[in-house]
Every structure is written in structure tokens, then in C-alpha cells.
Amino acid sequence: MYDVAIIGGGPAGSTAAALLALAGRRVIVFEREKFPRFHIGESLLPFSMKAFTRLGLHEKFLRAGFMKKFGGEIVGACSESGTKFYFKDGYRSQTDHAYQVTRGDFDKVLLDHAVECGAEVHEETSVDQVEFSNDEVELGIKCNGSFHSIRARYVIDASGRTSVLGRKFKIKKTYDHLQKLSIFAHYDGVWRAEGIDGTLTVLIRAIDRWFWLIPLSAERTSVGVVLDSEAFRNSKLRAEDFLEQALSEQPIIAKRMTDARRVSQVYVEADFSYRSTRLHGDRWLLAGDAAAFIDPVFSSGVFLAITSAEKAADTLDEVLRSESRRRRLFKNYSSCVNRIMDIYLTIVNSWYRRGKEFIEVFLNPTETMQITAAVNAVLAGNEGKSFQIKWRMWLFYFFVTVQRFLPLSPRLSLVPKKETSPRPAEPVGAIL
């Protein structure tokens, strides 16, 4: 009998496993793949740093060669310059950096760390069945063609978008207006700025799509485009041809990629955003992508996985000490994770539904009332519990809404200008 069984060994599963094992709980993890394996979601947020410190992971990250990330930059496709934001300038910031990572390596570091902490981990092992009783959970396991079962007092579903319990209980709700598609690849030789500006994630907003450039190492950069799934299907192009064409049509990207060469295949990822209508039952919790996926923009995926896993582990540790508190603690867990997801859903909806106005306001920041510092904090992963952040975010969304009818900031076309200069100038946008 295990205290907790965890389905999935990604960032959510391995984080929860390590924390529970460190608390002295008997934990078992089932991961259907063999690590390392390729995965998207390469840009981390500063508010995960406390969890990494708690787990003792920073030295391992540095040994793995993960690049420190000091902020981001957002650019309109019609302009050469954008607005940079540095994490140190966020409202009541507690750290100045996060990490840019190759997810295959990052996920393996986390899973191996869970083993070192005392968790029992089984890779290439799938969970095909989950049955609940009043006192325990029985999981049907498949490994190397053989079947067996194990018992645990509780289960965390961190199985990602496949969501074993989400399928079982039919609690997955998709967001029809966020049915996007990512097309991306890794490149060497992409131009980037000197110093800490060379570590920034760059987002470029066009009318019907947006692009990312994420530095992964001194040479390697992840480059991708996100757009409506239908737009890609209607093009009738292969993914390789579509990505090449899309990047060449954006001068700010094309110039940065003058000397670049693709070093990976071109990947296509369906970013079908969704959310589970329930995050807990009597003996189970959902964490990470099994709970929800709220679009790749603003790099919230790994942050939500780490945050929900940390809260799930702490919740179950308390429940295992005092089961009479289970109902209240599980309810608190769901409320907390849902509130954080609401924050990101709101800013993602603003990015897509008011995309032009969002960029126009964002690219003309003001220091008035520290609104830009609050936006910076939310983009860095601040849970936004404080009223000081909430009212500043409300004001930002108000300005974005008003911008549609009254130009508080200069209007932008978001249509690329045809440029001929061989190398991009240093961005000169205002610093948040």
C-alpha cells in the first residue's frame, strides 16, 4: 500500500513526488514514456523559483547548462522595436530571473531528482485502469506487455493532456475560442542581443498570429508561430514550408535568422486549450496539464504544473496526517489552483480577443500607479492574490477595452514593414 500514486512523470508529477517523498511519504510514479523525450514549453517563470529552491534544484539546473532568463520582450510585427520587461522590475519582485530550458533535459532532471528524494519511479509504464473504493485506489498497470495492479491511499493525476481521470470522469471542457496550433523548430545561429537582453523571450504579435523566439543556449533558439488551426489547414502547405514562409514574411525575424540553420524537425502541436470542471474527488487530485492547459502564450504551462504540484503535495501531506480535514483541504486546493488559472485565462483572452489593443497599450507603458509593474508581476507568475495587483490589472484591462474606441495609445497596423537593413537595430522600447 502506497501513500500516493502519481500518474505521469513530467514537471507536475515529478515535483509532487519529490516533495511527498521528502515529507516521508511512500510514493510511486508511473510514466508511460522513457526520459529524456522531446517536449515543448521551454520558457520558465520566476515564481517557480521558490519551489526549485525548496527542492534544491538550482545547482542541478546550472550543471545542466540551463540559461538564466531575465525577462521578455513583446514586439508588434509593424515595428522594429518593442517593449522589454525585466523580472526585477515586477511589482514586489522577489527574484530577477528564471530559466530557459530544453524540456527533455529539464524533465529528466526533475524525474531523476524525485528518485533521489525517495520516490519509486517506473518509466515506460502506463496506467490503464483506476478504481476507487472508500479506503483506497487500485491502479491497473501495464509494463512490457504484462499487467498487474497496485494500491494507494490517494492518487495524483499528472498525466498531461491525456488526463487519465479527466477521461474517466468526462470532466474536460475545451475553450472553443482557443483552438490554436503551434508550428516550431530549433535553430542555431539566430541573432540575439548582447548581455541579459540576449536571454529574453521575444513575442512578436501580427494580426492573426504571433511568433516566439526563445534562447535555449549560446547557439540554440526555439522559434515558432501560433495561429488558428483552420488557417494552417487552409494553406494546404506542409508544416516545414508553412513555417519557412511565415518566418520569412516577418522582417524582424527574417533578419535575425539571416545566418540561422534549422537543427531539428519541424513540430506541429495542437494547442487545444481546456480545463477540467473538477480538480478533485474523494481520493484524487488533478495537477499540471491534467487539470488544464491555458495556451502557450506567456509561458504559463510549466509554472502552472509546478505550482499545482507543490500545492497538491502539501495538501496530501496534510490529509495523510489528518484525514478528517480532507474535504476542506481538497476544496481549498481546487479553489487556489482555479484562481491562478483564472488569472492566466483572463490575460490570454485579452491577448486574443483584444490583440491589437493589447499590444498598443502594452507597447506604450506608463509608470502611473505602477500598472506596468503589476502586469510584469503577473507575466512573471505572481498569483495576484493581493488587492494591490488586482486593481492595477483591472485598470490595465480597462485601458485595453477603451483603446478599441478611443486611442489612448498610438494605433498600430501589426502589418510587417518591408525592411532591407541586414541586421536588426537594438530594440529601444521603454523599459517597464
Side-chain angles (χ1 to χ4, degrees):
M1 173 72 77
Y2 292 88
D3 291 318
V4 181
I6 299 176
I7 309 172
S14 54
T15 297
L19 290 172
L20 284 163
L22 288 171
R25 304 302 177 184
R26 191 175 182 214
V27 186
I28 188 167
V29 180
F30 299 106
E31 167 54 49
R32 65 180 180 176
E33 297 187 47
K34 176 68 177 175
F35 283 17
R37 48 84 174 102
F38 181 84
H39 206 284
I40 193 59
E42 300 146 326
S43 195
L44 308 187
L45 300 184
F47 268 73
S48 296
M49 298 294 275
K50 280 187 177 180
F52 298 149
T53 299
R54 180 181 175 187
L55 286 163
L57 283 166
H58 292 295
E59 286 189 13
K60 291 184 177 181
F61 289 170
L62 293 175
R63 286 201 299 270
F66 299 147
M67 175 183 287
K68 287 185 177 181
K69 163 191 174 184
F70 292 89
E73 181 180 7
I74 296 183
V75 186
C78 57
S79 174
E80 189 71 37
S81 62
T83 294
K84 299 173 186 175
F85 57 94
Y86 300 100
F87 296 137
K88 67 180 178 61
D89 298 325
Y91 188 81
R92 295 181 179 175
S93 172
Q94 297 179 13
T95 182
D96 68 344
H97 72 279
Y99 295 102
Q100 310 279 29
V101 302
T102 49
R103 275 292 301 279
D105 297 330
F106 174 76
D107 290 3
K108 180 165 176 56
V109 169
L110 290 185
L111 191 62
D112 289 348
H113 187 72
V115 174
E116 291 180 27
C117 291
E120 182 180 335
V121 173
H122 297 267
E123 296 180 78
E124 298 180 287
T125 304
S126 62
V127 176
D128 291 352
Q129 217 170 13
V130 185
E131 299 297 335
F132 295 90
S133 65
N134 289 335
D135 301 319
E136 64 181 44
V137 187
E138 184 173 350
L139 288 80
I141 310 303
K142 180 181 178 182
C143 180
N144 294 326
S146 63
F147 298 84
H148 64 283
S149 64
I150 67 101
R151 294 180 301 136
R153 296 172 69 182
Y154 293 95
V155 62
I156 295 176
D157 183 358
S159 59
R161 300 186 198 185
T162 56
S163 189
V164 171
L165 296 183
R167 289 199 320 269
K168 178 180 177 67
F169 296 118
K170 297 181 172 61
I171 54 177
K172 209 170 173 183
K173 173 190 172 186
T174 59
Y175 291 111
D176 292 337
H177 66 292
L178 293 175
Q179 302 302 290
K180 307 295 180 180
L181 197 76
S182 296
I183 306 173
F184 58 95
H186 288 176
Y187 295 82
D188 283 350
V190 178
W191 179 91
R192 65 181 67 150
E194 298 293 329
I196 65 171
D197 285 359
T199 75
L200 307 183
T201 293
V202 179
L203 300 184
I204 300 167
R205 188 64 158 86
I207 292 178
D208 64 341
R209 63 195 64 182
W210 62 272
F211 300 81
W212 78 69
L213 293 96
I214 301 175
L216 300 178
S217 68
E219 273 296 311
R220 191 144 301 176
T221 304
S222 175
V223 182
V225 59
V226 178
L227 71 164
D228 288 337
S229 305
E230 188 176 356
F232 172 61
R233 288 195 299 269
N234 290 343
S235 75
K236 301 189 184 304
L237 294 173
R238 296 185 314 141
E240 293 81 359
D241 297 329
F242 187 93
L243 181 60
E244 182 178 350
Q245 178 178 303
L247 297 179
S248 67
E249 291 172 349
Q250 301 296 320
I252 188 172
I253 299 178
K255 286 184 292 184
R256 290 178 181 233
M257 298 186 67
T258 300
D259 301 320
R261 64 186 184 281
R262 181 160 61 86
V263 293
S264 77
Q265 69 181 79
V266 173
Y267 297 91
V268 179
E269 187 83 19
D271 298 325
F272 295 160
S273 299
Y274 59 86
R275 192 160 169 182
S276 297
T277 56
R278 284 191 294 149
L279 301 186
H280 77 275
D282 285 343
R283 293 201 167 267
W284 56 270
L285 297 174
L286 301 185
D289 283 356
F293 177 75
I294 312 292
D295 202 80
V297 69
F298 307 129
S299 306
S300 62
V302 175
F303 162 71
L304 291 171
I306 299 295
T307 299
S308 60
E310 187 177 18
K311 295 182 185 302
D314 290 343
T315 296
L316 282 178
D317 186 44
E318 287 192 54
V319 168
L320 287 163
R321 284 200 299 266
S322 176
E323 296 222 356
S324 62
R325 303 168 60 202
R326 179 177 62 192
R327 182 171 296 182
R328 179 173 62 83
L329 289 169
F330 277 17
K331 183 179 179 181
N332 289 345
Y333 168 79
S334 292
S335 297
C336 181
V337 174
N338 273 314
R339 179 179 51 76
I340 298 170
M341 290 192 294
D342 283 340
I343 291 170
Y344 276 92
L345 182 60
T346 300
I347 199 167
V348 164
N349 281 338
S350 182
W351 172 264
Y352 285 114
R353 289 174 171 168
R354 297 282 186 268
K356 190 168 177 293
E357 294 80 16
F358 185 106
I359 290 295
E360 289 168 348
V361 173
F362 190 91
L363 293 186
N364 287 273
T366 173
E367 295 301 329
T368 303
M369 297 176 286
Q370 294 184 287
I371 295 172
T372 52
V375 176
N376 186 341
V378 169
L379 294 181
N382 191 304
E383 296 180 17
K385 287 188 290 188
S386 72
F387 181 71
Q388 288 84 352
I389 288 182
K390 285 181 181 178
W391 74 260
R392 289 175 170 87
M393 290 304 298
W394 291 336
L395 203 52
F396 172 74
Y397 295 130
F398 172 75
F399 289 152
V400 169
T401 301
V402 171
Q403 177 71 14
R404 187 177 186 185
F405 308 99
L406 180 66
L408 304 174
S409 300
R411 298 292 193 192
L412 299 173
S413 69
L414 300 188
V415 176
K417 295 178 181 178
K418 300 301 180 184
E419 302 284 354
T420 57
S421 57
R423 183 69 75 189
E426 285 287 340
V428 295
I431 304 300
L432 290 183

